[in-house]
Each structure stands twice: as C-alpha cells, then as structure tokens.
Amino acid sequence: MTALRTIRRSTLKPTPRRNLIEWADEFRRLSARAAAQPGRWRTATVPMALGPTAAVTDPRVRFVSVMAPTQEFKTELINNAAGYYAHQDASPILLVLPTVNLAESYTKDRLDPLVDETPALAAIAPPKKSRSPDRTLDRLAFETGAVIDIVGANSPTDLASRPKRIVLADEIDKYPPSAGKEGDPLALAEERQSTFWNAKSIRACSPTQKGFSRIGREYEMSDQRRLFVKCPHCDEAQPLTFDRVRWDKDENGQHMPETAGVVCKGCGTIWTEAERRKAIQAVALEPDFGWRQTKPFRCCGEDHKPLNWTDGGHWNEHGEACCPKCSKPGVPVRHAGFNASKLYSLTQSLEQTVRKFLSSKDDLSLLQVFTNTQLAELWEESGTAVDPESLLARREAYGPDNIPSGALVLTAGVDVQDNRLECEIVGWGAGRENWGVEYHVIHGDPSQDQVWHELDQILLRSYRRDDGALMRIQAACIDSGGHHTERVYAFTKPRFGRRVYAIKGDGGPAKPIWPKRASKSKTRQVLFMVGTNAASDQIYGDLRVKRPGAGYCHFAANYDQAWFTQLLAERLVRKRVNGQDVRVYECPKGTRNEAHDCRRYALAALHALPRQLPPGSIPVSEPQPTQEAPEVEQAPQPAPAKAPVKRKSRPRRGLNTTGRSWL
C-alpha cells in the first residue's frame, strides 16, 4: 500500500513551473535561419531583456509594454512567450502582426524555426510537412492543448473571433488606425481576453511620433520602468541617456566618434567603452535586474518623481517606486512598461551609435529615424519651436550686390495675393546652406500688367557675389493655387525656358517637395504640385541648425521682424483624413504667412533644377532671357485644310463575303 502511494505521488505530481527566463534558458534553441548566433538561448546575453522577460510570468503583471530599439530583443521576447505558453502553461494564444501577409511571413521565418529547433516544442507540435489543419500558416495546435493563431491587424474578422488568454502583439505602431470599421486593432484583440481572469498581454515595438505611437501611449499608461546601471567609479545608479554621451573633435573641428564615452551624472567621470559594457553586464546582479519604476505618483499628500531621485533609496528590492515617508509602493505593477535604448546594447558600440547620430543630425527625417530606432524615444514634432529673436540676431551685412561667395545658385519664390505680389530671392550653397538675399512686395492689382512687369525685371536682373561673380536666378516658382490663377499661367508659360514655373501646394502626406513630372490644370496649362508639408519640414529643420554649415540659414540686414513673424507663422497640426492620422501645416486665422510661402516656393525651385546641376555643385551662370510672348494668349487659328491623298487602287482578290482574305 505504501509503495502504491509513492507511485501515485510521483506520477500525479505536477511538473515544476518555471518562469520565462528559466524556461527559455533550459529549452529554447536558436535556428541558423533566424539568428546570427544559433544554438542555446541565454537571456543574460541581452541584459536589458531580463526585466521584460521576468515580467511576462510575474503573476502581479497583466500588461507588458516594451518600447525598445530595433534589432534588440522584442521579437525574441514574443517568441519565448509563445513557446512558454505552448509548452509550460498551455493556453489559447493570439499572435498579432501588422498585416495578414506579415503574419504568414512570421510563421515561415520565425515561428517554424522556433518550433523545429526547440526539441521541447517539436515533440508536442504536428509534423511540419503534415497536411493537418493543426499546422497551417495561420494556426499551430500543440498536444498540450495550446493553440497559436497568427493574424493580421488589418483583418477585423480574425481579431474578433474566439476567446484568447494570451495576446502577443508585435510591431504595434505599424498597425492600421482601425481594423476595417471595428476600431483600434490592439483594443479589438485584447477584448478577446475578457473571460480570462489570468489573461496576459505582451506588446512590443520601436516608437514613432508622439501622439501617434501606440507603444508610446501604452508606455505612458504603464509604470514606466527604466534600466539603471552603476557607475564603475562612484557606484551611482543611473539610466543611460544620449545627452550624457560625449566625444572629442580634432584640431580641424572634425568629430571623433571613436572617443565617445558616457559622463556619470554623479562624479562626472567619462566611462570608457569597456566600462560601459561592464556596467551593462552587471545588470543581472542587481535587484530585479536594475529595472526601476519611474512614473510619478502621489502619496502622503505629496507628489513624487522617482526618476529625479539620485540617492536610489526610494525603490524597494523589486524595483517598485516607494513613498519616501511611508515606504509604501506608489505605482501598481499591473502594467509593466520598459524603455531602453541602444546605449544598453552589447552588439553595438558607443562609437557606432555616435556615427549614426552624426550622419543623421542635419536631416530632420533621418534624425527622426535615429531617435525612434536607436534611442527608442518618441519623436516630437517641434514645428515652429524656433526662437524668432535668435533668427533676428542672425542678420548679416550683405545684400544683392555682395552676396557671400558660399551661395552657388539663386532661386525665387513668389506668392500671389489680391492686391500684391510678394517675392523672395534665396541663395543656396553646399549642403543646402542658404542666404536670404532680398524680399520684395510689389503692390498693385495682379490682374493688370504692371505688377507682372516689375516681377519680371526682378527675375531678370543680375546679382553680384562678394568675389565679383555675376549671378542670375536659375529657377522661380509662382503660386497659382489661390489668386489670379490664369494670370499666373499667362506669365509662366512663355518663360518656361527660364524655369519660371506655375506651382500649386499639395499638403498630402508623403508628397515630395518637387514632383517627378508636371501635371495639367483644368485649362491644360503646365502645373507642378509642390509638397508643402515636406517643404515646411525642411524649412523648420534648417532654421534649427545653430552653426554655419549644411542647412544653416543666413539673413540679409534688410529683413525685418515682421518678416520673421510670417516665416514662423505655420503651425503643425494633426488631423484624421479618410481614417488616417495625418500631420499638416496650417496658418492660424488672422495670421499672415506670405514669407513662409515664398521661402517654401524658393526651396521648391531649388529642387526643380536639373539633376546634372545638384545643390552644392551648381556653377554660376547667366542664362539668356527668352523672348517674351504676349501676356494674353491669341486664339488658336484653324489649321489649313490638307489636300486629299490619292491612294493606288489594288485588285480585290480572294475575298469572301465577310471581307476577310482567304490567302
């Protein structure tokens, strides 16, 4: 009887449940098809993955949101969680990718290697080449009872069917704004967990724009954990941020990324690359892997901001932020959020990170990519976050007769109003460094010839550089989208050979500054659609450049404060158009923005120049003005009638009654 009890106890004893770190380290294997270093998985080799991985199987945590850089651990976290809940804690699982096509690719490139190379999973999964409905591109059922359904966020039917305990959501910022007409795909997927008391949601992605980013929204709602590492010199615990990265320059002012180091906020010592790596590797020895809550909270009648505490004494051994008076945790752990950058990476050096920054800092779109994918920070559109006083102080003592020799080409932008024309002449140099040369306001009725004659004289005049070289305007853009459209066409058509173009603003998303080809107006006139959003992005990005060089904006002494007010008049706003969130520049009511429009059109004229004359290598030239056509087009004359052409007759041979040849 005793022996029988012993057998029963040993047979019926449940398998010891491991946490996700223990499971992955024991069972997970990496495939050569999906990993640079195939073989056994070791979570500690990616120190910043320890905290998020532990949170997945923490019973106190319901939501896990990971805002991390590209090519780090996000997808492997999803993979490990899928394997764990299939093998260790059998559950119905929903894995959501941005589109149905990506979901199918994920099955082939990620999920199949995960199962095939991990013996514990391969033993409970259907054979890969079987025709069983339990193993398809969108479904994988295991012998344990666990089922993984792989769906696309653009398929509302797949998102809304069958209850699921575990939701694994990857690349959530790439989800469409709405799954059909059903609403937010993430919320729709997680609604399927409502019947499970022990549901778990893991979301992962690199961030995008503030206000648009799902992972940014979810991180803001979480307890906002940051990874703290200790200074190797003073033991000060601190998160790594890019604003504390320093590097040297040589005697010529050239950047030296190889000298990059991290400045300790406690003792001010600059860490070497080896010390940075050592501090990161020591994370596994810290309580709760060095991850600490940083979300502000209120307790004992006071507001507390954990991230600003420097003594490290207001977190408990679990990394929970505690009230300094009563020592109680102030932030619940139901939603664990994690944010770390490439500064914590062991596969990318600090030098490589700095080089990526230097290659992107002068281009607004590239800088956004660096901010999102390397620093894992939300990109916040600064719009007109430019100090007008600092621009006013930039004015320099030059003019139309002594333009600085850095200017290699001149362009013009013209805005048309009901009672005037406004025009700016801009000089452009290497790297898009630019000089505002002069600004004209031509008063008069644009329906009359006089104002157009004055504009033509401005566009035809010669300008002189300070080295004596003569310059003429190489291209000009005139707005035809508002006032006096037909007069704009009448002016630009005979001057097309001088690159005087009729343009119209297009505020649509992803529109280039200059189109690949011209359009036709309703009256069959040649028209170019200018991407106003892209142009304004470029203008505001250049205005934020602080030192002369690529992108820097110079202004002549004749530019007044009213002009700078107009230059900065445009405001960046967000709108929902056709179900999509879009960003557009708008001018507030009652505010003038002609200066901004003229600069925008002058920039478009630069982009209109032929490719054989790229900015930075454009020679100074003096094109000959073409003969002007009459301001009013003559009515087309009928073409003379052509004499009928006599055709030689051929014998009709071999034709049937249908007219088809038999031969």
Side-chain angles (χ1 to χ4, degrees):
M1 193 68 178
T2 303
L4 181 60
R5 289 196 186 99
T6 303
I7 294 173
R8 284 180 177 175
R9 289 194 188 100
S10 61
T11 304
L12 300 177
K13 183 178 180 179
T15 303
R17 180 164 299 180
R18 304 165 178 82
N19 62 34
L20 182 54
I21 293 177
E22 295 169 342
W23 180 88
D25 289 348
E26 181 175 351
F27 295 106
R28 178 75 195 281
R29 300 294 184 272
L30 295 173
S31 169
R33 291 182 293 164
Q37 297 180 345
R40 193 163 186 171
W41 170 271
R42 285 285 182 265
T43 309
T45 60
V46 188
M48 59 175 153
L50 289 164
T53 305
V56 171
T57 47
D58 186 339
R60 302 171 300 167
V61 176
R62 165 69 174 82
F63 300 98
V64 178
S65 297
V66 180
M67 188 165 70
T70 56
Q71 300 300 314
E72 280 301 330
F73 64 91
K74 303 186 301 298
T75 300
E76 293 304 337
L77 175 68
I78 297 292
N79 288 340
N80 287 341
Y84 175 88
Y85 285 108
H87 176 251
Q88 192 76 10
D89 189 5
S91 307
I93 304 167
L94 181 67
L95 204 160
V96 187
L97 279 299
T99 65
V100 174
N101 290 338
L102 284 176
E104 294 179 356
S105 298
Y106 183 93
T107 302
K108 298 175 183 177
D109 302 334
R110 296 286 188 173
L111 191 58
D112 282 346
L114 166 69
V115 173
D116 296 338
E117 298 295 331
T118 303
L121 295 177
I124 60 175
K128 185 176 181 180
K129 294 184 179 180
S130 68
R131 296 185 178 180
S132 169
D134 289 337
R135 186 160 188 173
T136 62
L137 287 176
D138 58 2
R139 180 179 174 83
L140 181 56
F142 296 87
E143 293 179 3
T144 57
V147 179
I148 302 178
D149 286 314
I150 307 98
V151 302
N154 59 343
S155 175
T157 303
D158 293 337
L159 290 173
S161 61
R162 295 190 299 274
K164 297 292 180 182
R165 177 192 166 202
I166 308 298
V167 171
L168 308 176
D170 197 13
E171 299 295 349
I172 64 175
D173 275 16
K174 296 181 174 63
Y175 291 1
S178 177
K181 298 181 179 180
E182 303 290 334
D184 184 83
L186 182 62
L188 193 61
E190 293 180 343
E191 183 61 30
R192 295 168 61 172
Q193 301 175 294
S194 57
T195 58
F196 292 92
W197 64 270
N198 56 349
K200 185 83 69 172
S201 294
I202 296 96
R203 306 83 160 257
C205 194
S206 298
T208 50
Q209 293 181 5
K210 187 174 183 179
F212 284 75
S213 175
R214 280 192 182 86
I215 194 63
R217 176 193 69 195
E218 297 302 323
Y219 181 75
E220 289 293 323
M221 296 168 60
S222 73
D223 56 11
Q224 299 178 16
R225 303 186 191 189
R226 300 287 299 278
L227 184 55
F228 283 67
V229 296
K230 283 189 176 181
C231 173
H233 301 278
C234 68
D235 286 341
E236 174 81 16
Q238 56 202 281
L240 299 181
T241 55
F242 194 69
D243 60 351
R244 290 193 287 110
V245 176
R246 301 288 186 272
W247 60 91
D248 299 331
K249 295 182 179 179
D250 61 19
E251 59 276 7
N252 298 321
Q254 298 298 315
H255 295 276
M256 302 171 63
E258 64 275 10
T259 64
V262 179
V263 178
C264 173
K265 72 173 185 179
C267 64
T269 305
I270 299 180
W271 306 356
T272 64
E273 173 65 11
E275 289 172 334
R276 180 191 72 92
R277 294 177 63 87
K278 185 177 179 181
I280 295 169
Q281 290 168 339
V283 164
L285 305 177
E286 295 296 321
D288 203 34
F289 313 117
W291 286 96
R292 298 178 177 180
Q293 294 177 340
T294 64
K295 187 171 187 176
F297 65 95
R298 185 174 182 82
C299 188
C300 296
E302 296 182 6
D303 294 324
H304 305 295
K305 298 180 180 180
L307 187 58
N308 295 331
W309 297 339
T310 58
D311 58 1
H314 301 300
W315 288 277
N316 62 21
E317 66 274 12
H318 301 296
E320 298 170 352
C322 299
C323 175
K325 288 188 175 181
C326 65
S327 298
K328 293 181 179 179
V331 181
V333 296
R334 177 176 171 81
H335 188 169
F338 300 86
N339 177 223
S341 70
K342 284 282 190 180
L343 299 178
Y344 294 96
S345 175
L346 296 178
T347 58
Q348 178 171 299
S349 67
L350 203 58
E351 176 186 349
Q352 291 173 310
T353 304
V354 171
R355 289 190 184 278
K356 290 181 179 181
F357 167 72
L358 293 175
S359 65
S360 63
K361 66 182 181 67
D362 296 325
D363 189 304
L364 205 61
S365 59
L366 293 179
L367 186 59
Q368 177 180 351
V369 173
F370 175 83
T371 302
N372 294 156
T373 64
Q374 301 296 309
L375 304 184
E377 295 178 359
L378 292 166
W379 175 257
E380 186 170 5
E381 295 284 0
S382 48
T384 57
V386 181
D387 179 16
E389 296 299 326
S390 66
L391 297 183
L392 193 64
R394 286 189 191 181
R395 292 181 299 177
E396 304 170 20
Y398 68 84
D401 297 323
N402 61 335
I403 301 171
S405 57
L408 303 176
V409 65
L410 297 179
T411 66
V414 183
D415 186 51
V416 181
Q417 297 293 322
D418 275 338
N419 59 355
R420 67 191 183 280
L421 304 179
E422 301 202 16
C423 171
E424 186 186 16
I425 313 300
V426 183
W428 304 92
R432 212 179 50 255
E433 186 173 6
N434 56 86
W435 290 261
V437 176
E438 62 179 352
Y439 194 81
H440 297 273
V441 179
I442 306 172
H443 294 284
D445 186 355
S447 64
Q448 304 301 316
D449 294 342
Q450 181 59 33
V451 291
W452 296 103
H453 177 73
E454 290 185 34
L455 174 63
D456 204 31
Q457 294 305 306
I458 293 172
L459 299 181
L460 284 172
R461 68 162 290 185
S462 295
Y463 296 81
R464 187 177 298 276
R465 292 198 319 198
D466 56 12
D467 59 2
L470 288 178
M471 305 178 70
R472 285 186 182 271
I473 293 171
Q474 298 290 315
C477 288
I478 305 177
D479 180 29
S480 66
H483 308 272
H484 302 281
T485 300
E486 295 304 319
R487 287 310 304 253
V488 174
Y489 293 150
F491 182 81
T492 56
K493 184 176 181 179
R495 295 166 178 81
F496 192 86
R498 286 166 41 195
R499 301 193 190 104
V500 178
Y501 302 125
I503 60 97
K504 184 178 179 180
D506 187 346
K511 296 293 183 181
I513 294 178
W514 191 255
K516 293 182 179 180
R517 59 185 62 86
S519 303
K520 291 285 187 180
S521 70
K522 293 180 179 179
T523 57
R524 307 296 296 171
Q525 300 290 338
V526 176
L527 176 67
F528 293 90
M529 305 300 293
V530 170
T532 54
N533 275 5
S536 293
D537 279 344
Q538 194 66 76
I539 290 171
Y540 283 124
D542 290 347
L543 290 174
R544 286 192 288 272
V545 177
K546 301 296 184 182
R547 299 177 181 177
Y552 185 81
C553 301
H554 305 260
F555 303 102
N558 57 11
Y559 283 67
D560 57 18
Q561 189 165 8
W563 185 88
F564 287 102
T565 301
Q566 291 185 28
L567 179 67
L568 302 177
E570 298 275 341
R571 294 290 184 269
L572 187 63
V573 298
R574 288 175 170 78
K575 291 183 175 181
R576 183 170 287 270
V577 179
N578 297 327
Q580 299 285 334
D581 289 321
V582 298
R583 45 190 290 283
V584 295
Y585 286 89
E586 287 188 347
C587 182
K589 278 189 176 182
T591 304
R592 291 179 54 185
N593 67 334
E594 292 89 344
H596 185 90
D597 282 339
C598 289
R599 176 58 65 100
R600 190 155 51 187
Y601 305 150
L603 176 62
L606 176 70
H607 284 259
L609 290 174
R611 291 195 174 187
Q612 62 268 26
L613 298 175
S617 62
I618 299 176
V620 179
S621 60
E622 251 183 276
Q624 296 298 320
T626 58
Q627 185 177 2
E628 296 185 23
E631 294 293 341
V632 180
E633 296 183 44
Q634 300 294 328
Q637 300 296 324
K642 294 183 179 180
V645 178
K646 293 183 178 181
R647 300 181 182 274
K648 295 182 179 180
S649 60
R650 294 181 179 179
R652 300 178 62 191
R653 58 174 184 166
L655 293 179
N656 60 15
T657 55
T658 63
R660 294 178 180 175
S661 175
W662 291 334
L663 302 178

